Amino acid sequence: MTSREKILQQIKLNKPAETPFPETTRFDSLYENTEEKFIETLTAIYTEVIVVKDLAELARKADELYASVANRATTIPALSNWADFSLNNPDPHALELIEIAILQAEFGVAENGAIWISDAHLPHRALPFITQNLAFVIPRKAIVNNMHDAYERLTETTGWGCFISGPSKTADIEQSLVIGAHGARSLVIFLLEEA
Amino acid sequence: MSKAIIEHSVASETFNKDEPYVDWHDETLWFVRQKRDKSSKLLPEWEQLRETASGIKNYVLSHMDELLIAFEQKAKENGIHIHWAADAAEHNEIVLNLLKQNNIDKMVKSKSMLTEECHMNEFLSKSGIEVIDTDLGERIVQLRNEPPSHIVLPAIHLKKKDIGDLFHEHLGTEAGATDPQYLTEAARQHLRDKFLTRRAALTGVNFAIAETGGFVVSTNEGNADMGAHLADIHIASMGFEKIIPKQKDLAVFLRLLARSATGQPITTYSSHFKKPREGQEMHIIIVDNGRTTQLGRADFRNSLKCIRCGACMNTCPVYRRSGGHSYHNAVAGPIGSILAPNLDMTKNADLPFASTLCGSCSNVCPVKIDIHDQLYKWRQVLVKGGHVPQAKELGIKAMSVVLSQPRFYQWSGRLGRSLMRTIPFVVNNGMNPWFKQREMPEPPKESFRDWYIRNRKE
Ligand code: SF4
């Protein structure tokens, strides 16, 4: 008998009597202002939120913020002039030089400040982790209340996706919080008024 | 492990020798527990969420085989290879073979308590494979050649100075440096080099989803993602109880996990793997290693609902004052003390006794496991099975004689009270384990029973 058969057979023999699935599995979080809650949560986890009117203002802000930074990459066509690092190389290891990446993300969650990003909008899964600094652009309208709402949106998932909430961090040395463990050292969210 | 096991009570006695250090350990964990409290109180639906999570997990326990079969089928359709391992040895062999087939002798690993349970690092290193742990806390304990002392906070037992000395020796940081920012930066550089040069990455699995055939890995550092997205081959090891039915059930668990663990609203990264990226190989190893046995023990099967948040450890007065290593098991603390005897009753008979049964663990558990009840039940199973050391067994027997004979109980109480009053050194000494870390109370002049009889008459 293979281990697979052995395990499944043992489970069948040993599992408890049938228990029904719980009736309620979703809850509504009612925030007076979802965007405010979203910004508040992100600020508490060391993330800056910048509201921009349109793509032109986004480009201006990007120039301003990262004026002296080389190795800039982006997945946003309107920023192609701003970027000086091409993402066309098929080898993800080449991305290690990136200092700042501004990426299209899909939506945000007010209750925990998580941003959903997936390979639907990414040429490389490693990109949001390997870049030294990270920024996401999400439409202002794309903020949901809580994780239940988030998964209602996520019926069509791709091969890989991730909720990212703030810059990489650790508190493994005597519980002192340090930002920038392995992933991005900083995170900025651009909320786009007109998508 | 081949090392002789030191009983929990003995190990904690050693741990307790350095009083300021124990106080620090205690307070540090209590601080984490308080962060959990604050965070949970911000959600009005917190208790309902726990109830729901517990309900979903009960459903999982009773549909385990069907869910695993559905998961396997979906995952295969997604291009993931599935392996089944009956025990730790088989798990380790599978990993080794995958590496050998690909001519790989170096691997990066993100946190996985299952591979600790299987002693995988030890096994692989004997076969000439270098495994680098990439979670900072895990890397620290790995450099020290010791196991993690906590499932979420692996190096919680160490102080800045310990880590500064360690990094000075291994990573070439300045002697005497203790700044966490500086030390973390050194580890970042050291590990970035590993991420960029390793062709294989192993991760744990926090949740596996039957509906999609995908799985979720949660970290704060992003180390699981750094490893997996750069490697040619990604191996994910999961205990079979990690399965959940639907993707949307993740909402319930992800809302509970980080809040219970550290008080964060969610971990920084919750990565959803469903298909390998182009050109990559993805493998999942589904491991039993005693879990089917535990599933068959009606009194203990609820322990398989655990989502490994660590809240029960942070709140446990015994864990906080004895340290994770005193539990001599991959998973320490209250939940570890339930899981360990399932693996080996003789070796781990001491662990269910390492608890005050105060119930704090059950109160914080996000999936409502009846932890302290299970610890109590294990004690009885272990005593009946003859797994408990004689001294403890004698104590328990003496207790049952005293408690089952009311006259004897009254007499021994009277004797005890008068002894404590007249010759207190009989009890206030190192021979009496109750005297350790406590003052003995002033004995009352009369027993409650005597008081009650007198007052009723009046
Ligand atoms: S038993 Fe409960 S509290 Fe303890 S680690 Fe598991 S889920 Fe968390």
Side-chain angles (χ1 to χ4, degrees):
Chain A
M1 203 170 16
T2 63
S3 291
R4 178 186 185 275
E5 286 160 11
K6 209 161 58 184
I7 294 169
L8 288 172
Q9 193 197 55
Q10 280 301 108
I11 290 177
K12 225 189 186 123
L13 279 172
N14 288 354
K15 70 179 180 178
E18 157 96 39
T19 317
F21 196 78
E23 265 166 44
T24 322
T25 57
R26 81 172 314 294
F27 302 90
D28 289 316
S29 301
L30 297 174
Y31 304 113
E32 241 165 65
N33 184 328
T34 317
E35 185 176 319
E36 248 171 47
K37 171 74 186 168
F38 181 63
I39 296 175
E40 180 195 306
T41 316
L42 281 165
T43 312
I45 50 176
Y46 312 91
T47 303
E48 192 182 352
V49 183
I50 301 171
V51 182
V52 288
K53 216 169 126 300
D54 50 22
L55 290 167
E57 195 187 344
L58 171 69
R60 271 201 307 280
K61 278 274 178 212
D63 273 335
E64 216 176 278
L65 274 171
Y66 309 105
S68 56
V69 184
N71 293 330
R72 305 182 294 258
T74 189
T75 54
I76 296 166
L79 293 179
S80 56
N81 282 334
W82 166 84
D84 63 357
F85 190 100
S86 161
L87 294 173
N88 289 333
N89 192 328
D91 179 11
H93 293 83
L95 309 175
E96 69 153 321
L97 297 172
I98 299 176
E99 277 298 323
I100 171 74
I102 302 186
L103 307 177
Q104 182 66 51
E106 288 159 49
F107 66 93
V109 187
E111 72 151 314
N112 55 20
I115 318 284
W116 178 257
I117 181 148
S118 80
D119 50 15
H121 291 101
L122 277 178
H124 293 285
R125 292 179 185 179
L127 183 53
F129 307 92
I130 201 167
T131 177
Q132 296 288 340
N133 297 282
L134 179 60
F136 287 134
V137 179
I138 61 172
R140 195 174 191 172
K141 289 195 203 86
I143 300 173
V144 301
N145 270 285
N146 64 17
M147 291 299 278
H148 307 291
D149 299 333
Y151 281 105
E152 267 160 32
R153 261 190 90 132
L154 280 180
T155 45
E156 283 297 316
T157 46
T158 48
W160 172 85
C162 189
F163 281 109
I164 298 185
S165 163
S168 166
K169 55 176 102 46
T170 180
D172 275 336
I173 301 179
E174 258 196 48
Q175 282 295 291
S176 328
L177 185 72
V178 178
I179 304 296
H182 308 295
R185 297 171 188 271
S186 70
L187 180 65
V188 171
I189 311 290
F190 293 103
L191 278 184
L192 196 60
E193 272 183 44
E194 299 165 10
Chain B
M1 241 194 259
S2 49
K3 270 177 253 154
I5 284 175
I6 302 171
E7 257 204 60
H8 178 273
S9 57
V10 180
S12 48
E13 214 167 295
T14 317
F15 189 84
N16 272 293
K17 280 200 176 117
D18 186 348
E19 254 189 66
Y21 169 72
V22 181
D23 288 344
W24 166 81
H25 189 265
D26 179 24
E27 280 156 22
T28 309
L29 285 151
W30 185 248
F31 179 64
V32 184
R33 146 82 211 245
Q34 284 176 314
K35 285 201 284 188
R36 172 251 170 229
D37 286 355
K38 263 189 219 137
S39 176
S40 67
K41 293 201 168 61
L42 293 176
L43 289 187
E45 66 270 37
W46 182 256
E47 287 306 318
Q48 290 155 283
L49 268 175
R50 286 177 72 210
E51 199 55 52
T52 307
S54 171
I56 296 175
K57 284 285 187 177
N58 285 335
Y59 174 88
V60 168
L61 292 183
S62 66
H63 294 82
M64 190 69 83
D65 46 345
E66 299 131 65
L67 291 171
L68 287 169
I69 291 169
F71 171 75
E72 177 186 46
Q73 193 195 331
K74 274 283 170 191
K76 281 182 167 170
E77 283 169 23
N78 293 338
I80 304 178
H81 304 274
I82 302 287
H83 311 258
W84 299 75
D87 54 23
E90 193 175 1
H91 166 267
N92 294 347
E93 281 299 337
I94 292 170
V95 176
L96 180 63
N97 283 334
L98 287 172
L99 296 174
K100 276 190 175 159
Q101 280 160 22
N102 290 278
N103 279 321
I104 295 174
D105 62 359
K106 293 184 173 76
M107 176 168 78
V108 282
K109 191 187 103 185
S110 78
K111 198 171 344 186
S112 146
M113 291 319 293
L114 176 61
T115 60
E116 291 293 331
E117 175 188 317
C118 296
H119 302 296
M120 183 197 73
N121 285 15
E122 231 177 324
F123 168 84
L124 288 180
S125 97
K126 277 188 195 135
S127 311
I129 310 273
E130 179 206 72
V131 183
I132 298 276
D133 284 331
T134 56
D135 170 90
L136 177 60
E138 291 251 309
R139 184 68 185 132
I140 291 168
V141 292
Q142 185 181 39
L143 287 173
R144 282 172 61 95
N145 249 323
E146 57 183 35
S149 77
H150 187 289
I151 56 174
V152 174
L153 319 161
I156 192 76
H157 59 298
L158 297 172
K159 306 200 89 171
K160 286 178 209 171
K161 175 158 183 330
D162 303 319
I163 297 161
D165 293 348
L166 185 77
F167 280 14
H168 173 60
E169 186 190 328
H170 293 273
L171 308 184
T173 52
E174 274 170 56
T178 56
D179 176 37
Q181 184 86 46
Y182 167 79
L183 295 173
T184 303
E185 183 63 34
R188 178 185 172 102
Q189 301 302 340
H190 158 74
L191 287 166
R192 203 156 249 258
D193 170 60
K194 310 291 179 211
F195 286 127
L196 286 162
T197 51
R198 297 309 186 252
R199 288 172 45 228
L202 187 144
T203 68
V205 168
N206 287 89
F207 305 97
I209 305 117
E211 174 191 33
T212 64
F215 58 98
V216 171
V217 182
S218 302
T219 69
N220 273 325
E221 298 177 10
N223 54 318
D225 288 277
M226 275 289 267
H229 303 321
L230 289 171
D232 303 339
I233 155 170
H234 174 186
I235 305 169
S237 297
M238 66 175 260
F240 68 63
E241 79 283 9
K242 291 292 165 83
I243 194 90
I244 59 169
K246 294 227 153 90
Q247 179 167 270
K248 70 177 169 59
D249 304 332
L250 284 168
V252 175
F253 293 108
L254 291 184
R255 297 186 82 192
L256 287 165
L257 179 63
R259 286 185 173 97
S260 300
T262 58
Q264 291 168 252
I266 186 169
T267 50
T268 306
Y269 304 101
S270 309
S271 206
H272 297 51
F273 295 90
K274 196 165 116 188
K275 292 178 184 160
R277 65 165 205 276
E278 246 192 29
Q280 185 194 35
E281 255 182 52
M282 202 178 267
H283 297 263
I284 298 175
I285 310 174
I286 302 173
V287 183
D288 179 348
N289 205 34
R291 286 163 175 77
T292 46
T293 316
Q294 193 84 319
L295 189 64
R297 299 190 213 269
D299 282 345
F300 305 114
R301 63 166 61 106
N302 272 349
S303 60
L304 296 174
K305 290 157 69 177
C306 174
I307 58 172
R308 302 288 191 267
C309 70
C312 56
M313 306 174 189
N314 301 340
T315 201
C316 176
V318 177
Y319 176 90
R320 284 188 277 119
R321 301 195 69 84
S322 60
H325 288 153
S326 64
Y327 293 80
H328 55 77
N329 185 51
V331 180
I335 184 65
S337 301
I338 297 171
L339 299 172
N342 178 58
L343 289 169
D344 189 327
M345 286 203 214
T346 312
K347 273 191 195 157
N348 298 312
D350 55 328
L351 296 183
F353 294 89
S355 165
T356 61
L357 301 184
C358 66
S360 186
C361 45
S362 310
N363 284 332
V364 296
C365 178
V367 287
K368 292 202 150 183
I369 300 174
D370 48 339
I371 307 173
H372 71 293
D373 287 332
Q374 290 192 37
L375 288 168
Y376 180 62
K377 286 176 187 158
W378 259 133
R379 293 182 185 186
Q380 304 176 42
V381 172
L382 293 165
V383 171
K384 279 200 195 109
H387 298 283
V388 168
Q390 266 219 316
K392 200 165 268 160
E393 204 177 328
L394 279 177
I396 292 166
K397 278 196 184 134
M399 191 73 123
S400 84
V401 169
V402 174
L403 293 181
S404 60
Q405 303 182 53
R407 313 232 18 167
F408 190 48
Y409 174 78
Q410 286 161 31
W411 172 80
S412 51
R414 212 170 298 134
L415 178 69
R417 280 187 302 278
S418 85
L419 278 180
M420 278 172 79
R421 255 195 321 273
T422 48
I423 33 176
F425 56 85
V426 177
V427 285
N428 295 353
N429 66 43
M431 302 276 286
N432 173 11
W434 274 98
F435 185 58
K436 287 180 209 161
Q437 284 94 44
R438 335 181 160 72
E439 300 287 332
M440 293 304 283
E442 277 280 319
K445 293 214 172 55
E446 63 181 340
S447 73
F448 171 74
R449 187 176 177 277
D450 295 345
W451 175 88
Y452 181 76
I453 292 166
R454 189 160 52 80
N455 278 272
R456 220 179 36 170
K457 277 192 194 134
E458 269 166 18

